[in-house]
Amino acid sequence: MKDREWVVQYITDPKNVTKHSFLPLIHKTIIKRKFRADEVNPERNPSGKRKRIQTTPKDRHIYYASHLDGLIFSYYSHLLQEKYEDLLKNTNFNQSVVAYRKIPIVKGSDKNKCNIDFAKEAFEFILKSKNQKLSVMVADVTKFFDNLDHKILKQQWSKVLALPTLPKDHYNVFKALTRWHYVEEHRLFDVTKDTILVERPKANDSSEKERKRVAIKSKRYFREKGAIAYCEKDDFLKNHLNLVRQASTRKGIPQGSAISATLANIYMLEFDQAVYDEIQRVNGYYQRYSDDMILICPLQHQEHILKFIREEIDKLKLQIHPSKTKVYNFEKFHSLFKGFEVSETSGKINFNKTLEYLGFTFDGQRVLIKSAGFSKYYRSMKRSFKKSTSLAINSKNPDKRIFKSRLYKRFTYRGAQRKLIYRPSKTDATSYSPTKKYDWGNYLSYLNKVNESMRSLNGNDDIKKQSRRFWYKYHVLMKSHQLQVDSKLRKLAAKTNEV
């Protein structure tokens, strides 16, 4: 980027950040559909499973910063993260806080742990303690980012910096996150869609890029068209200030900024210390992944631990609601170690529901991928086939077949291998040269990695077996959508002949 030197000098100079005027954030709502088994209707689908019904969708409010503002947030997140890590080195709960951190798989390794490793550590602790009755509690802080208290956040921010109060540059960043303004993304797109700023290679020199304004009819074409911005800063300040709205300034920070995750960890410092100490006192286990936490303890301490974490979270003016808490008991039945859900309020046992954590289920015998992950992948497959069908029908290319190679690469084992990408050599037309880019595989790559990691717990390839039906479903979709293309083309040909 040609302005790199100027940007680095600007964002690393505290004087500039102190007087920097932050632009409004761009607000986007992500709606996540939820499906649950129909507990009321006993009717089953052809496979014998209970029919699923759609429940109330979950809305996630995400806020994006402008380019320069985002770089400032990212830089100050880096500064705070370094201080936070230095502070954690002298604590006993260093390994319990796992989200948004780089924790080496082993000391000195350049590879870091991920959700697979964190979940495995929790499951391993359960198995190591299977000679006693256990309680496993999975809790979720209610509307975490929306409810962070600004006074507490400021105190914790200063504490991490080891200063009595925030320096002027940090305070300006703090104000940008606690007194923020925003514009709705769809409204901003509506007023700028005819003049979206894009960056493309020059016609006669692909090594050089040029910027121009073009009309883009839908946001889903942004990547394809090379969009880089809705408009310039001066244009926004001159013509679009009427779109600006002010968020509530009483509590909360915007979720989605580059610094929000770091601030979330900083905010929970006292809570993490208190909970870790208490769970250690009863020979238990504590791990927190952002606003999700898992606590494991002997069964007789369950009620005390649940009460304790709610009292501690209340000190931070947050809440862990019973509806956001799942309780599971693990014990031996006829020499078989099993886990099952227990209602916190009624004590009702549900043997059909087992521990769910970080995308996995664990019943005391084996680890599996949650069905929701497969459902999301299958929905993505269906959307891609639908798009490929539309492109095949409407393409100007005389070959109207579905473009299969990309679909095979994205949704089958053929694209699951992670490898270095090679490009034709610039000096030798008969050879290929390695690039600095990697083909990271697809969802099946992730499944293979999970299977390898969890094999020591499962003793077999149960996780890999979960994906067996993908190959069959893939070809069912391929066949049906190719038939749709053929049918549509026959109809178009018939109309042409009639004319």
Side-chain angles (χ1 to χ4, degrees):
M1 148 174 153
K2 64 180 181 180
D3 297 325
R4 177 184 176 85
E5 185 176 344
W6 176 87
V7 169
V8 171
Q9 289 179 350
Y10 185 87
I11 67 176
T12 56
D13 187 343
K15 292 181 181 179
N16 291 330
V17 178
T18 298
K19 60 185 180 181
H20 180 77
S21 180
F22 288 87
L23 284 169
L25 302 172
I26 300 175
H27 174 236
K28 177 181 180 181
T29 303
I30 299 176
I31 301 175
K32 184 179 179 181
R33 298 187 301 165
K34 285 187 174 182
F35 293 88
R36 294 290 183 269
D38 191 346
E39 304 285 353
V40 179
N41 188 354
E43 188 179 349
R44 304 259 173 168
N45 59 31
S47 65
K49 296 181 180 180
R50 286 177 298 178
K51 289 191 174 181
R52 300 174 71 82
I53 56 175
Q54 185 172 348
T55 59
T56 304
K58 180 180 179 181
D59 294 345
R60 282 184 78 192
H61 297 279
I62 306 297
Y63 295 86
Y64 301 96
S66 67
H67 294 315
L68 184 58
D69 292 356
L71 291 171
I72 293 174
F73 289 144
S74 182
Y75 176 65
Y76 275 77
S77 175
H78 165 72
L79 296 179
L80 284 172
Q81 188 67 32
E82 285 189 332
K83 296 288 186 180
Y84 177 72
E85 291 293 340
D86 289 341
L87 193 153
L88 284 193
K89 288 177 183 177
N90 301 316
T91 67
N92 53 4
F93 63 89
N94 188 10
Q95 297 296 313
S96 293
V97 182
V98 296
Y100 317 125
R101 298 179 61 204
K102 293 181 179 179
I103 303 177
I105 294 177
V106 294
K107 192 172 182 180
S109 173
D110 59 346
K111 293 184 177 180
N112 298 313
K113 294 180 180 179
C114 64
N115 69 305
I116 303 171
D117 305 291
F118 302 139
K120 185 180 180 181
E121 288 173 4
F123 301 152
E124 284 177 333
F125 184 89
I126 294 173
L127 288 176
K128 288 177 183 177
S129 310
K130 65 181 180 180
N131 290 325
Q132 59 182 315
K133 293 183 179 181
L134 292 177
S135 175
V136 180
M137 297 149 279
V138 179
D140 181 0
V141 181
T142 305
K143 294 185 177 180
F144 185 47
F145 288 94
D146 296 338
N147 289 311
L148 298 185
D149 183 82
H150 294 167
K151 184 177 180 180
I152 296 174
L153 178 61
K154 187 180 178 184
Q155 291 172 345
Q156 295 297 91
W157 196 325
S158 301
K159 178 180 179 179
V160 169
L161 295 176
L163 295 171
T165 188
L166 293 181
K168 291 182 179 179
D169 55 326
H170 282 263
Y171 183 63
N172 196 32
V173 177
F174 170 79
K175 286 194 300 180
L177 294 163
T178 55
R179 306 177 190 175
W180 81 93
H181 293 73
Y182 68 93
V183 296
E184 294 292 351
E185 184 187 39
H186 68 274
R187 296 190 64 195
L188 183 60
F189 174 73
D190 287 342
V191 299
T192 61
K193 61 184 178 183
D194 293 328
T195 55
I196 299 292
L197 193 61
V198 302
E199 188 174 70
R200 297 174 177 174
K202 284 186 177 180
N204 299 321
D205 185 3
S206 60
S207 63
E208 294 290 328
K209 292 185 178 181
E210 61 180 353
R211 294 183 177 184
K212 58 175 66 175
R213 296 186 180 278
V214 301
I216 301 179
K217 64 180 182 180
S218 175
K219 288 181 286 186
R220 65 174 176 267
Y221 300 128
F222 276 1
R223 179 178 294 183
E224 178 186 334
K225 299 293 185 180
I228 58 173
Y230 286 102
C231 58
E232 298 280 5
K233 178 180 178 179
D234 292 341
D235 181 31
F236 176 82
L237 295 175
K238 182 179 179 181
N239 301 312
H240 306 307
L241 285 179
N242 60 309
L243 301 177
V244 179
R245 299 290 181 268
Q246 183 170 1
S248 170
T249 57
R250 295 181 180 179
K251 58 183 179 180
I253 60 173
Q255 184 175 359
S257 75
I259 197 173
S260 297
T262 302
L263 294 179
N265 275 343
I266 289 171
Y267 190 90
M268 298 290 282
L269 270 169
E270 266 74 25
F271 176 86
D272 290 328
Q273 183 68 74
V275 173
Y276 180 85
D277 288 344
E278 189 64 19
I279 206 76
Q280 285 295 301
R281 190 182 66 81
V282 298
N283 298 316
Y285 178 89
Y286 168 60
Q287 186 184 96
R288 180 176 64 80
Y289 192 97
S290 186
D291 56 343
D292 292 322
M293 62 191 79
I294 186 169
L295 303 105
I296 308 168
C297 67
L299 185 58
Q300 64 266 29
H301 299 295
Q302 173 182 299
E303 188 175 340
H304 163 67
I305 293 298
L306 283 171
K307 181 181 178 183
F308 183 84
I309 63 171
R310 290 194 174 114
E311 288 174 347
E312 289 300 314
I313 206 72
D314 187 60
K315 294 177 183 178
L316 297 178
K317 299 185 180 181
L318 297 172
Q319 185 183 34
I320 297 175
H321 196 273
S323 64
K324 292 280 190 176
T325 307
K326 298 293 183 182
V327 179
Y328 307 89
N329 288 172
F330 283 78
E331 56 185 276
K332 285 187 177 180
F333 288 91
H334 305 293
S335 74
L336 191 65
F337 188 63
K338 292 289 290 182
F340 49 88
E341 186 181 54
V342 180
S343 172
E344 182 189 352
T345 53
S346 67
K348 184 180 178 181
I349 294 175
N350 189 337
F351 289 102
N352 294 320
K353 290 190 176 181
T354 56
L355 171 62
E356 294 184 355
Y357 183 58
L358 298 185
F360 303 97
T361 65
F362 180 58
D363 63 359
Q365 295 297 308
R366 61 177 183 171
V367 181
L368 295 175
I369 300 284
K370 280 178 62 176
S371 60
F374 290 100
S375 299
K376 182 179 179 181
Y377 186 60
Y378 185 59
R379 288 197 299 271
S380 177
M381 189 190 298
K382 290 175 69 175
R383 286 194 300 269
S384 293
F385 268 100
K386 186 177 180 180
K387 182 177 180 180
S388 296
T389 300
S390 176
L391 290 173
I393 293 172
N394 299 304
S395 172
K396 295 179 181 179
N397 192 322
D399 184 353
K400 297 295 184 179
R401 291 175 297 178
I402 293 176
F403 188 60
K404 296 180 180 180
S405 61
R406 185 173 296 175
L407 294 170
Y408 270 111
K409 182 178 179 181
R410 184 175 176 189
F411 297 108
T412 76
Y413 73 91
R414 295 183 183 180
Q417 186 177 358
R418 295 177 175 176
K419 55 188 178 181
L420 182 67
I421 295 176
Y422 285 74
R423 302 291 187 197
S425 174
K426 293 182 179 180
T427 56
D428 183 0
T430 63
S431 65
Y432 287 78
S433 300
T435 67
K436 294 182 179 181
K437 296 182 179 180
Y438 283 84
D439 189 337
W440 294 108
N442 54 30
Y443 184 62
L444 297 181
S445 311
Y446 172 73
L447 292 184
N448 291 335
K449 183 177 180 180
V450 174
N451 187 70
E452 287 296 317
S453 179
M454 298 298 180
R455 187 183 285 124
S456 60
L457 300 183
N458 289 343
N460 53 37
D461 294 326
D462 278 342
I463 291 175
K464 197 170 184 178
K465 291 175 184 176
Q466 284 184 279
S467 64
R468 282 180 173 177
R469 286 190 61 81
F470 273 133
W471 183 251
Y472 169 75
K473 289 182 176 181
Y474 174 88
H475 284 93
V476 168
L477 286 172
M478 177 67 77
K479 184 177 180 180
S480 65
H481 280 270
Q482 187 61 61
L483 288 173
Q484 289 180 33
V485 172
D486 296 340
S487 175
K488 183 69 175 179
L489 293 177
R490 282 195 297 269
K491 290 179 180 178
L492 290 173
K495 286 184 178 180
T496 303
N497 292 334
E498 288 176 2
V499 173

